[in-house]
Amino acid sequence: MSLLYEVLEPLPDAQSALRRARELLQEFAEWVDDPNIPWTGQVVTAEQYVHAVTRFREGRFMTHAGTRFPETDLEDFWARLQALGVPRGDCPYEVTVELTPELEQLWPLPADICLQPWRDAWPSYVLGRLEETCREADIDALVADVGPLSFDVGWDAGLRGLPSSKLCGVQLCLNSVWTSQSSEPAPGRHGVYLSIGTRNRDVQDEWLAATGLTLGEALPGW
């Protein structure tokens, strides 16, 4: 497992965060792979849902704890879904829905519920790809459209001066923060993280100090 360190500096919008991620790669990387296929996070606010409706066709309402519907004191929420014509489906842990403007009235969601847009509902320039990476032009287009949605993407890279490149690179989190090997929604907050891999423990402190960056505490990473 890698360690991720947040670069602590103002990143007021998605474009500035993307630009900073690329600047770090240019400054510290010997080589950089194409960006990984991006991931859109959970929809947690009504503003995010309004935007998601314009970008995604379907999604899943899920319980955070992975417990069954409606065995989590969520009978009222399920009744509201039924009143909107949402079929129950076969899975006891999630409900698949077509994303329509009418569902906005469900917000604010109960604390135990989240909505995850279907990943296969990316715009046409990402749909249908079997690769694990995409083009930088795709990232530009997606970030331009991300609005209030959570959005994560990483670049695998060999960081100059580190003996091993395994799990090294840069992670970008838009409207989200990195916690423990994943991100969680944080509307309005953007972050850029350095990942220093799994085999650089002996030199990591010296290397990090030499970057001249103000960095956050180590977080369990990729």
Side-chain angles (χ1 to χ4, degrees):
M1 180 173 58
S2 180
L3 293 176
L4 262 62
Y5 293 85
E6 184 177 9
V7 179
L8 299 178
E9 55 190 55
L11 297 171
D13 52 49
Q15 293 291 349
S16 63
L18 174 61
R19 182 168 57 250
R20 188 66 179 113
R22 287 172 169 162
E23 288 171 352
L24 291 175
L25 291 168
Q26 184 175 13
E27 183 174 359
F28 296 109
E30 292 181 326
W31 55 263
V32 183
D33 281 344
D34 289 335
N36 300 322
I37 292 293
W39 178 258
T40 295
Q42 300 163 1
V43 174
V44 296
T45 69
E47 180 190 15
Q48 286 179 321
Y49 182 75
V50 170
H51 196 77
V53 168
T54 69
R55 298 293 183 270
F56 296 91
R57 298 185 298 271
E58 293 183 323
R60 295 176 291 182
F61 282 110
M62 303 179 293
T63 58
H64 288 295
T67 49
R68 294 173 179 266
F69 279 104
E71 297 174 3
T72 51
D73 298 323
L74 295 170
E75 291 86 352
D76 289 344
F77 179 74
W78 174 238
R80 294 173 68 192
L81 282 177
Q82 288 184 309
L84 291 169
V86 176
R88 178 66 187 87
D90 298 328
C91 181
Y93 304 104
E94 60 189 45
V95 178
T96 299
V97 295
E98 179 185 356
L99 301 188
T100 64
E102 290 74 21
L103 293 185
E104 183 188 350
Q105 62 188 274
L106 294 171
W107 268 262
L109 297 178
D112 290 337
I113 288 289
C114 63
L115 174 68
Q116 179 67 61
W118 279 120
R119 184 173 177 178
D120 63 0
W122 280 111
S124 59
Y125 42 79
V126 174
L127 275 176
R129 293 188 179 173
L130 299 177
E131 301 95 325
E132 295 181 355
T133 61
C134 64
R135 301 170 303 181
E136 290 287 349
D138 296 333
I139 299 300
D140 287 324
L142 289 165
V143 170
D145 287 343
V146 71
L149 295 176
S150 298
F151 176 95
D152 301 335
V153 64
W155 290 261
D156 295 318
L159 299 180
R160 194 175 298 111
L162 289 178
S164 173
S165 61
K166 183 177 176 62
L167 296 182
C168 287
V170 168
Q171 175 75 25
L172 170 66
C173 295
L174 303 181
N175 292 304
S176 60
V177 294
W178 194 267
T179 53
S180 177
Q181 292 188 274
S182 63
S183 65
E184 63 180 32
R189 180 173 172 180
H190 312 294
V192 177
Y193 302 77
L194 278 172
S195 177
I196 63 164
T198 58
R199 301 174 180 173
N200 299 307
R201 299 291 192 263
D202 292 343
V203 300
Q204 66 185 36
D205 292 340
E206 180 182 355
W207 188 89
L208 291 168
T211 67
L213 301 169
T214 301
L215 300 169
E217 295 183 1
L219 297 169
W222 304 338

